[in-house]
Amino acid sequence: MNKTISKKELQDMGFLPYQAVDIIRQAKYYMVDKGYPYYNNKRLGRVPYHAVENIIGVSLEEGDANG
């Protein structure tokens, strides 16, 4: 399960723009800390779901798209 998420997708989930940017930033720091230097890049705007789930403390469910 190599799903990634972007700032725009976080905003679509209900996060404010600044919150979405901050979550992505924290997730990138988390990934670098875990040994993935690829995420040490200013232009990179997508991070793995598991990193975001670790930051916000809630599981991101994908099955709610159909209502």
Side-chain angles (χ1 to χ4, degrees):
M1 187 165 119
N2 288 334
K3 291 289 192 173
T4 60
I5 191 165
S6 70
K7 173 186 78 161
K8 173 74 170 109
E9 292 165 334
L10 285 172
Q11 288 176 346
D12 291 344
M13 296 171 99
F15 289 98
L16 297 174
Y18 179 77
Q19 290 173 322
V21 169
D22 194 46
I23 290 168
I24 296 294
R25 184 181 303 126
Q26 289 180 36
K28 287 170 64 174
Y29 287 143
Y30 171 78
M31 292 302 292
V32 171
D33 190 47
K34 290 294 181 182
Y36 297 94
Y38 172 75
Y39 291 96
N40 193 15
N41 182 343
K42 288 182 184 182
R43 295 189 205 183
L44 186 64
R46 298 191 72 82
V47 293
Y49 267 76
H50 70 85
V52 172
E53 290 172 341
N54 186 16
I55 300 299
I56 64 175
V58 178
S59 177
L60 300 174
E61 297 180 11
E62 301 172 29
D64 293 339
N66 294 333

